[in-house]
Amino acid sequence: DIQMTQSPSSLSASVGDRVTITCRTSQDITNDLDWFQQIPGKAPKRLIHSASILQSEVPSRFSGSGSGTEFTLTISSLQPEDFATYYCLQHRTFPYTFGQGTKLDIK
Amino acid sequence: QVQLQESGPGLVKPSETLSLTCTVSGDSISPYYWNWIRQPPGKGLEWIGYIFSTGKTNYNPSLRGRVTFSVDTSKNQVSLELTSVTAADTAVYFCTRELQYWGPGTLVTVSS
């Protein structure tokens, strides 16, 4: 299985901050990586697919980059509704595997 | 707008079979991949597997052959069966169309 190392596991930030979350994979997955946001009690919501393509209707303050084994999710200016848990997912090889999650909370 | 809704028993006894259905509205089952993902309380996400609308499947080996998916195109439903459940199978189970559209999830507790 491809191992996913997502960091940090938790992050405290303020409204307006720029934050970056990193996901590293144990094998080259080209760009077969998605990013999800999950609010407690809700289903995950896909923000980014194919490493850098913004899902429709997702605000442009979210962006994704990377290829191969290292990927980042950046939120350019945090808004109150962005405080949630974020997960990466590789879908290059079976079984698909998720990162451990990054919990983003208010400083 | 496509909508998904998981349904099934909220409580299953150990060693029994967990059966869930995902009912799709607003679009056809075909020609899409339907993934099942689960999340134990307070923990991260685990990919269970997928079924394509033709019936092609791929399962996570971690479930050691206990899981089976099926598709009923006449009812616009996909289903999951997980046999020989234990407390470790307690989780919220989500169905999702190609990871873009998700159901709200349903909590299944395994307990006697």
Side-chain angles (χ1 to χ4, degrees):
Chain A
D1 298 5
I2 291 180
Q3 306 305 311
M4 310 290 285
T5 303
Q6 187 175 338
S7 60
S9 57
S10 64
L11 177 59
S12 294
S14 301
V15 172
D17 283 354
R18 177 185 181 91
V19 300
T20 299
I21 298 168
T22 298
C23 190
R24 292 184 174 87
T25 61
S26 60
Q27 298 174 32
D28 187 336
I29 61 167
T30 63
N31 67 340
D32 290 335
L33 184 120
D34 296 353
W35 288 99
F36 295 85
Q37 175 193 66
Q38 188 178 31
I39 292 167
K42 301 291 188 181
K45 172 186 175 182
R46 190 166 68 180
L47 303 174
I48 303 279
H49 70 89
S50 305
S52 62
I53 299 175
L54 195 67
Q55 194 70 50
S56 60
E57 301 184 5
V58 172
S60 59
R61 63 181 179 271
F62 292 93
S63 63
S65 65
S67 66
T69 62
E70 187 158 337
F71 302 85
T72 59
L73 171 70
T74 299
I75 310 172
S76 60
S77 178
L78 275 173
Q79 298 303 301
E81 60 268 29
D82 300 337
F83 293 95
T85 300
Y86 294 84
Y87 295 93
C88 56
L89 167 75
Q90 71 80 20
H91 50 88
R92 178 68 176 175
T93 64
F94 298 114
Y96 297 169
T97 44
F98 284 93
Q100 303 92 326
T102 295
K103 185 175 181 182
L104 176 56
D105 60 23
I106 301 174
K107 186 183 292 183
Chain B
Q1 174 77 329
V2 62
Q3 293 187 317
L4 291 67
Q5 181 68 56
E6 304 88 350
S7 59
L11 180 65
V12 181
K13 290 183 169 55
S15 80
E16 296 191 344
T17 296
L18 181 164
S19 298
L20 296 175
T21 297
C22 176
T23 300
V24 181
S25 58
D27 200 353
S28 171
I29 288 281
S30 306
Y32 298 106
Y33 287 92
W34 301 89
N35 290 261
W36 287 92
I37 287 160
R38 69 180 183 178
Q39 184 172 38
K43 296 189 178 180
L45 300 164
E46 180 184 27
W47 179 78
I48 300 171
Y50 72 58
I51 184 166
F52 189 60
S53 51
T54 57
K56 169 187 170 182
T57 56
N58 198 299
Y59 301 120
N60 193 325
S62 69
L63 291 160
R64 295 184 293 278
R66 297 189 294 127
V67 64
T68 304
F69 300 147
S70 59
V71 168
D72 187 333
T73 53
S74 67
K75 294 182 179 179
N76 239 32
Q77 292 178 334
V78 295
S79 297
L80 171 156
E81 284 199 343
L82 182 65
T83 61
S84 305
V85 298
T86 70
D89 296 310
T90 294
V92 176
Y93 287 76
F94 298 99
C95 65
T96 162
R97 192 184 91 175
E98 303 198 348
L99 304 172
Q100 180 179 359
Y101 298 100
W102 292 65
T106 187
L107 173 63
V108 179
T109 301
V110 179
S111 175
S112 55

